[in-house]
Amino acid sequence: MSTKPRPAPVGSFLGALLSALLAAMFLTAPPASAAALTEVTNFGTNPSNLQMYLYVPDSVTAHPPVLVAAHYCGGTGPVFYSGTEFASLADRYGFIVVYPSVTRSSKCWDVSSPQALRRDGGSDPVGIRSMVDWVTRTYGADPGRVFVTGASSGAMMTNVLLGDYPDVFAAGAAFMGVPFGCFATTDGSEWNSACANGTVTHTPQEWGDLVRAAYPGYTGARPRMQLWHGTEDDILRYPNFGEEIKQWTNVHGLTQTPALTDSPQTAWTRTRYGSTGDQAPVEAISVQGVGHALPSGGMAARAITFFGLDGGATTPAPGTTCRVAVTTNAWNTGLTASLTITNTGTTPVNGWALRFDLAPGQTITSGWNATYSPPTGTVTATNAPYNATIAPGAAASIGYQATHTGNSAAPTAFSLNAAACTS
């Protein structure tokens, strides 16, 4: 490491980052609703002069969850709002999104200074925590359901926030980041070439100790972590993915052996540690053949599932049970599926989300009577405004068209508002 700041690597980082990210980020439009992104000032202690932008959907759940969404290096809160799916997912599920924004010239988060790497030490993490506290006070948000996600520099900040404030954040989703402490410098530089190039390695215990040192004496529960990385990332290279897995499994007292390995979508390899369910302590998704350009389609929704926020807009009825009947019609590389959802319980279902698994190689291209997301893997079909209520003994009919690569099997593993259905 040089003993002076190195502006050239930061510049090359920004150039490569923006060329890789901007095209991917702007594929999504801002959500179509009356709600709008607004700037909040005077939100509390803010040692590094961050800006706070807030998205509150037209309809939020009681005591809504809060998601902090941190932009990439060179970006801003408004750009990350416009270019990702988190606001549209907030519309669907009723949570609030905070988009913090860096004002220093690099537009990179401070994930390297000693101040940033300890609880209440100063710099960006303190300002972000102030934003969370402001939202909790102002909107009566649930302090037990605060989450953070980010891309690139924002993914690094996700790692840092989970280390500094394990009592504030319940979980994080880091898209193409590096472990907590990996980018640490002592010379004031924002850039750590050794870490970016994937040459900083530690044992799981050493990585875990860096996290624990951020908040000495803390003995409470640790946030769950979801990690994403493309195998062809040439900005924050792929070995950082494995180092992150080592770190967060150690923080949770887990071994390096996955409890589950699967491929929920083409080119994705997912490993879960500590349990096999959607909210495992650590979940890691490797994306084959992809560079520094995450999140892309369907990934934000998968993060929301990991956080447990994708049922927030539904009202499960106690004791509700369900049955799903499926018919499919397949041809060469396509198929249609018709699903009938019957409420076999004794109370109405008011608002519903049906989850099911598509066969490998299938991709939904269109649908009717529900909204489908993501188009592959584990899909959630959310009610339309006109069929949100299913009375006892009544049914709702939905369907979709999909492509397939040879496996035209019917969907499986149905659950309605998190309750398993027979089929």
Side-chain angles (χ1 to χ4, degrees):
M1 281 289 296
S2 169
T3 59
K4 297 181 179 179
R6 299 182 62 184
V10 176
S12 61
F13 172 62
L14 288 176
L17 172 66
L18 290 174
S19 63
L21 277 178
L22 287 177
M25 289 296 192
F26 283 105
L27 291 177
T28 34
S33 75
L37 189 71
T38 59
E39 184 174 3
V40 176
T41 58
N42 301 317
F43 50 83
T45 305
N46 184 20
S48 55
N49 194 34
L50 301 179
Q51 291 176 293
M52 175 182 175
Y53 294 91
L54 188 69
Y55 184 76
V56 181
D58 295 329
S59 178
V60 297
T61 61
H63 304 295
V66 179
L67 174 63
V68 174
H71 62 75
Y72 47 87
C73 197
T76 66
V79 168
F80 205 56
Y81 157 78
S82 298
T84 59
E85 298 174 297
F86 296 111
S88 61
L89 290 163
D91 283 332
R92 180 177 301 177
Y93 298 120
F95 56 88
I96 294 172
V97 190
V98 177
Y99 294 92
S101 195
V102 173
T103 58
R104 66 179 60 88
S105 60
S106 67
K107 298 297 191 292
C108 298
W109 297 101
D110 177 10
V111 294
S112 57
S113 75
Q115 292 78 21
L117 297 175
R118 68 176 186 270
R119 180 186 182 83
D120 296 336
S123 197
D124 298 347
V126 171
I128 293 174
R129 184 188 179 173
S130 294
M131 297 178 195
V132 170
D133 290 344
W134 186 92
V135 173
T136 301
R137 292 192 309 269
T138 305
Y139 290 92
D142 185 347
R145 292 194 295 165
V146 177
F147 306 91
V148 59
T149 188
S152 192
S153 182
M156 299 187 209
M157 179 52 69
T158 298
N159 278 266
V160 168
L161 288 170
L162 294 197
D164 285 357
Y165 296 108
D167 54 337
V168 174
F169 295 95
F175 291 91
M176 55 191 186
V178 304
F180 178 101
C182 184
F183 241 60
T185 60
T186 58
D187 59 6
S189 173
E190 296 178 29
W191 184 254
N192 185 323
S193 295
C195 178
N197 289 332
T199 61
V200 176
T201 61
H202 290 294
T203 66
Q205 182 69 36
E206 289 168 341
W207 279 125
D209 286 346
L210 288 176
V211 171
R212 288 181 283 270
Y215 187 4
Y218 178 73
T219 58
R222 291 287 177 173
R224 297 180 297 107
M225 175 60 103
Q226 184 187 65
L227 303 165
W228 297 79
H229 224 104
T231 59
E232 303 305 312
D233 194 325
D234 59 355
I235 303 297
L236 300 174
R237 294 189 179 273
Y238 186 68
N240 283 299
F241 179 62
E243 299 301 300
E244 286 179 294
I245 293 173
K246 287 158 64 174
Q247 182 170 68
W248 291 103
T249 52
N250 180 265
V251 166
H252 282 277
L254 304 172
T255 70
Q256 302 294 293
T257 302
L260 173 74
T261 300
D262 65 358
S263 182
Q265 187 165 318
T266 302
W268 293 10
T269 300
R270 177 173 62 187
T271 50
R272 288 173 171 168
Y273 303 83
S275 73
T276 60
D278 282 338
Q279 281 83 53
V282 179
E283 178 174 275
I285 301 96
S286 172
V287 187
Q288 183 66 38
V290 173
H292 200 72
L294 305 180
S296 56
M299 294 180 183
R302 175 58 234 166
I304 296 307
T305 296
F306 179 74
F307 294 152
L309 298 181
D310 54 356
T314 64
T315 306
T320 294
T321 54
C322 52
R323 180 176 66 251
V324 179
V326 185
T327 59
T328 60
N329 178 33
W331 62 92
N332 295 334
T333 60
L335 62 87
T336 59
S338 297
L339 291 72
T340 302
I341 310 163
T342 301
N343 178 2
T344 58
T346 58
T347 55
V349 175
N350 295 310
W352 50 264
L354 180 73
R355 297 188 67 195
F356 54 88
D357 292 341
L358 292 181
Q362 293 185 10
T363 302
I364 294 176
T365 56
S366 62
W368 53 92
N369 296 342
T371 301
Y372 299 83
S373 180
T376 62
T378 299
V379 177
T380 298
T382 305
N383 65 265
Y386 52 81
N387 63 2
T389 298
I390 308 177
S397 296
I398 65 173
Y400 60 84
Q401 183 167 322
T403 59
H404 66 84
T405 57
N407 186 345
S408 60
T412 58
F414 297 100
S415 64
L416 186 69
N417 293 357
C421 301
T422 59
S423 61

